[in-house]
Amino acid sequence: MLVFWNEKLVFLAVPKTGTTAIEGALAPRAQAVFRDPPILKHTPYYRYKRFVLPMLEKAGAEGLQTVAVVRHPIDWLSSWYRYRNRDDLVGSKNSTRGMTFDEFVVEYCEEKPAPFANVGSQAKFLAANNGPTKCDYVFRYEAQPKLIEFLETRLNVKLELKELNVSPRMEVSLLPEVEALLRHTNAADFALWDAARH
């Protein structure tokens, strides 16, 4: 999470949406950087509103707006699957090595998924009191030029993003019935992505 005090903007870091690259480019420009541990870096909207915003307002902040990036749900889960397929995770409860992407997604759709598929939800990350997000600006990961234009204009900075923390590359696909299951059980994530700026 990045706080730009003078520009009244807070960047919420939704996991697996290029946030490490944005942090790398903009952290020197921010007045406050929540980098480590991951629970702070990836502070969800509800926790920001409950804990961080009151602290910032007590320090004199007014009129803060929030911005976040969301990724197409299938691509987002693909990134998680590939990220957890890394060699250094083999043998751990979070490893996806030895399973198909379909198996990973089916487990993700369970009410209580196994640790390797327990990666949360973009819609829940940005939810306000279990309802739709109140985040002021939500951009699609797939529409980087719009996001970059917004950040450059708002922060009066030239932004150059480098690839950081990239998931291993591999071809993945979903069976139609698995995609249908995902769309049914995680409709809020698809609705959030559909409504994002593109």
Side-chain angles (χ1 to χ4, degrees):
M1 182 170 61
L2 304 173
V3 178
F4 302 95
W5 186 272
N6 296 329
E7 293 82 6
K8 302 182 184 300
L9 187 69
V10 177
F11 179 82
L12 300 174
V14 180
K16 307 309 294 171
T17 60
T19 54
T20 302
I22 291 171
E23 177 192 290
L26 290 178
R29 178 76 175 66
Q31 280 69 47
V33 179
F34 293 71
R35 189 178 329 229
D36 283 311
I39 194 169
L40 288 179
K41 174 181 177 176
H42 299 297
T43 297
Y45 182 85
Y46 73 88
R47 201 176 294 142
Y48 160 75
K49 290 290 275 191
R50 184 173 177 189
F51 299 110
V52 180
L53 182 58
M55 178 182 67
L56 295 174
E57 288 177 336
K58 200 166 255 191
E62 294 179 352
L64 290 174
Q65 293 185 306
T66 51
V67 60
V69 179
V70 293
R71 196 167 181 168
H72 188 278
I74 295 174
D75 189 42
W76 185 72
L77 287 173
S78 164
S79 184
W80 273 114
Y81 168 76
R82 291 179 287 113
Y83 185 72
R84 292 188 162 187
N85 199 268
R86 305 185 324 270
D87 291 340
D88 61 320
L89 283 182
V90 171
S92 81
K93 63 182 181 179
N94 288 335
S95 177
T96 57
R97 187 67 59 89
M99 72 183 66
T100 66
F101 184 46
D102 287 301
E103 291 169 332
F104 171 78
V105 172
V106 168
E107 183 62 32
Y108 172 79
C109 292
E110 291 290 332
E111 189 175 336
K112 292 185 177 178
F116 65 82
N118 189 9
V119 296
S121 155
Q122 295 178 97
K124 286 180 182 174
F125 186 96
L126 291 179
N129 299 322
N130 295 320
T133 185
K134 302 288 188 200
C135 187
D136 297 290
Y137 302 97
V138 180
F139 289 89
R140 288 183 180 179
Y141 171 87
E142 296 80 3
Q144 291 276 328
K146 292 261 186 186
L147 170 67
I148 290 171
E149 179 185 4
F150 170 81
L151 292 172
E152 286 184 338
T153 301
R154 183 70 179 257
L155 303 176
N156 192 26
V157 67
K158 184 68 178 165
L159 192 57
E160 292 183 26
L161 298 181
K162 297 178 182 176
E163 284 198 342
L164 299 171
N165 199 31
V166 178
S167 298
R169 301 190 192 286
M170 62 174 66
E171 290 295 319
V172 297
S173 61
L174 278 183
L175 292 169
E177 58 267 32
V178 176
E179 180 175 340
L181 171 67
L182 177 65
R183 287 182 178 275
H184 174 71
T185 59
N186 293 275
D189 281 45
F190 286 91
L192 176 65
W193 186 84
D194 285 340
R197 294 167 185 247
H198 56 284

